[in-house]
Amino acid sequence: MHAFVILGHKAPLSPQFTLNDLPGGAGRLDVLCRCLNAALFLSHDLRRQVEAFLVLQNQICVRVCGQHVKRLNPDERSTAALIKKALEALQRAPDDAGPLESTPGIWVARQTLPGLLDAFKTSGFSPVLLHEGGEGLRQAALPDAPAFVLSDHMDFEPKELAALAGAPCLSVGPRVYPASHCIAVVNNELDLRAV
Amino acid sequence: MHAFVILGHKAPLSPQFTLNDLPGGAGRLDVLCRCLNAALFLSHDLRRQVEAFLVLQNQICVRVCGQHVKRLNPDERSTAALIKKALEALQRAPDDAGPLESTPGIWVARQTLPGLLDAFKTSGFSPVLLHEGGEGLRQAALPDAPAFVLSDHMDFEPKELAALAGAPCLSVGPRVYPASHCIAVVNNELDLRAV
C-alpha cells in the first residue's frame, strides 16, 4: 500500500471551468490529471493498492482510491471531468460536511495539507517528500506505507515544506522531472522491490 | 541522443477528428500525446537530445525533434492539435512528398515502420524493443543511440515484431505499464547512467 499526494497550487476550487482549457482556465489541472494517470494506471488495469490525493490550493482534498475507483479513464479530459464532479458535490454540501463520495472511489473534502497529514497518522501513511534535493530513491529505505508528496508545476511553498518537516526527502534522478514522471518512476521502483 | 518510436494502431490518418474526444473518435490519440510528453518534457524544459516518432497505423510517421520543436506544451489537447496540423499538411501534399515540417520541429511523412527502421540505418539509431517479456532494463547494455520501440494500448502485431527481429528486447519491470510510463522510466534510467 502506498500513496501519492500532489499539491495543486493553481488548481480550481469550484467546478466553473471548461474541460477545453485545462492548462489555462483550469489552473494546470492537466498536470494533476497526468499525476492521477501515473499513480493509478497499469496497462489495461488499475493499481488497486494505491491511493492518490490532490490537494487543491491547500483548501480542498480529492482522494482517489485505487481499490474502489470506477469510471476513471487514462485521458486528461475525462479525469478532469471527475474532478469537476467532485467540486460540484462539494459546492452543494454544507461547509461542515465530511468527505463526500462524488463518484465511486473518489472522495472530496475541505481539507488542508496539514489536515491531510494529520489524518495520515490515523490511516498509517508516512509522508515522504519528493524533491530534487533529496537522497537517491534507489538507495533509500522506505517506510511501510509511504505517501509520496509532490508539487505540481510550481515549487513547494515554505509553509508546505514546514508542514512536511521531519519527513524523509528523496529524489528520483539528477534532472528535474514533471510530477507525473516522478510518480511513474516511483511506482516502477516499488514494483521492482516487490519482486 | 536517443529516441522513442510509438506504434499507434488506431491513430487517425486524417485530421478529421475532434480534440474533444481523443480516446474515442481520435483512436486513442491521448495515448500518443502522453508518450510525447513523457519522451520530451523535463520540468519547465524540453529534452533537446531526444527524438520521438509516432507511427500511425504503419502508414504515416510524425517525427518530433527535441532540438528544434516549438509550441509543444505538456497537455494532451494542445499536443493533439499539433498532430492534427501535421496531418493537415500531409493531406495537402502530393502523394510522393518528402517529410514536411508542419510546425517548427515536427515533421510528417508517409512512412511505414519498416521504412522508418531503414532510415535509422542512415541516421544511426539502433532499435530496442520494449516489451514485458524482455531482459531487465537496469541490467542491460544499450547501444550508443537507442531508439526504443513501444506499442500503444494494443499489443505489437506479428509483422511489427518481424520488422524488429534482431533488435534487443528489454522490459522495464515486472508489471505491464502504459507506454508513457515505460518512457518515463527509460528516460530516468538513461539520466542516472549519464551521471
Side-chain angles (χ1 to χ4, degrees):
Chain A
M1 190 81 182
H2 63 280
F4 295 97
V5 178
I6 305 102
L7 309 181
H9 291 98
K10 299 287 183 189
L13 299 174
S14 88
Q16 279 78 44
F17 61 84
T18 166
L19 298 175
N20 291 344
D21 185 21
L22 301 180
R28 297 308 309 272
L29 196 57
D30 63 309
V31 174
L32 301 187
C33 293
R34 283 193 299 281
C35 286
L36 287 181
N37 174 298
L40 289 158
F41 275 92
L42 292 166
S43 182
H44 303 286
D45 203 358
L46 285 169
R47 292 183 178 271
R48 297 294 179 187
Q49 305 301 313
V50 170
E51 299 207 10
F53 300 85
L54 307 179
V55 180
L56 314 181
Q57 294 189 42
N58 201 28
Q59 295 180 54
I60 291 173
C61 181
V62 178
R63 171 181 166 230
V64 185
C65 174
Q67 192 178 354
H68 299 293
V69 72
K70 291 182 184 169
R71 303 186 208 161
L72 182 66
N73 286 303
D75 66 297
E76 291 168 13
R77 186 185 176 92
S78 68
T79 303
L82 292 178
I83 297 171
K84 195 176 171 92
K85 273 186 196 294
L87 293 173
E88 283 166 357
L90 194 67
Q91 201 171 52
R92 288 191 302 267
D95 280 353
D96 58 351
L100 303 161
E101 190 172 11
S102 51
T103 53
I106 300 186
W107 283 267
V108 60
R110 294 188 182 88
Q111 191 175 42
T112 63
L113 174 64
L116 177 64
L117 296 174
D118 260 354
F120 281 173
K121 291 174 189 163
T122 309
S123 58
F125 282 121
S126 300
V128 174
L129 185 59
L130 279 182
H131 193 266
E132 59 257 37
E135 179 194 356
L137 169 69
R138 289 193 185 180
Q139 291 74 44
L142 290 174
D144 278 346
F148 299 93
V149 185
L150 304 94
S151 188
D152 58 358
H153 63 297
M154 299 174 72
D155 280 341
F156 286 100
E157 294 177 2
K159 66 182 177 191
E160 293 164 349
L161 292 174
L164 291 157
C169 179
L170 303 183
S171 160
V172 298
R175 307 184 78 172
V176 187
Y177 298 162
S180 56
H181 301 199
C182 295
I183 291 171
V185 170
V186 167
N187 272 333
N188 177 245
E189 174 67 20
L190 295 182
D191 289 339
L192 288 166
R193 289 191 189 198
V195 174
Chain B
M1 192 79 182
H2 63 282
F4 295 97
V5 178
I6 305 103
L7 308 181
H9 291 99
K10 299 286 183 190
L13 299 174
S14 87
Q16 279 78 42
F17 60 85
T18 164
L19 298 176
N20 291 345
D21 185 22
L22 300 179
R28 298 307 311 272
L29 196 56
D30 62 310
V31 173
L32 301 186
C33 293
R34 283 193 298 282
C35 285
L36 287 182
N37 174 298
L40 289 159
F41 276 92
L42 292 165
S43 183
H44 303 288
D45 203 359
L46 284 169
R47 292 184 179 271
R48 296 295 180 186
Q49 304 301 313
V50 171
E51 298 206 12
F53 300 85
L54 307 179
V55 180
L56 313 182
Q57 294 189 42
N58 202 28
Q59 295 180 54
I60 290 173
C61 181
V62 178
R63 172 181 166 231
V64 184
C65 174
Q67 192 178 355
H68 300 292
V69 69
K70 292 182 182 168
R71 302 185 208 162
L72 182 67
N73 287 303
D75 66 297
E76 291 168 13
R77 185 184 178 91
S78 68
T79 303
L82 293 179
I83 297 170
K84 195 177 171 88
K85 272 185 196 294
L87 293 173
E88 283 166 356
L90 194 65
Q91 202 172 51
R92 287 192 302 266
D95 281 353
D96 59 350
L100 302 162
E101 190 171 11
S102 52
T103 52
I106 300 185
W107 283 265
V108 61
R110 295 188 180 88
Q111 191 174 41
T112 63
L113 174 64
L116 178 64
L117 296 174
D118 260 354
F120 281 173
K121 290 175 190 162
T122 309
S123 58
F125 283 121
S126 300
V128 175
L129 185 59
L130 279 182
H131 192 266
E132 58 259 37
E135 179 194 357
L137 169 70
R138 290 193 186 182
Q139 291 75 43
L142 290 174
D144 279 345
F148 298 93
V149 185
L150 304 95
S151 188
D152 59 357
H153 62 297
M154 299 175 71
D155 280 339
F156 286 99
E157 294 177 1
K159 67 181 174 190
E160 293 164 348
L161 292 174
L164 289 158
C169 179
L170 303 183
S171 160
V172 298
R175 307 184 78 173
V176 187
Y177 299 161
S180 56
H181 301 198
C182 295
I183 292 171
V185 170
V186 167
N187 271 334
N188 177 245
E189 174 67 19
L190 295 183
D191 287 341
L192 287 166
R193 290 190 189 198
V195 174

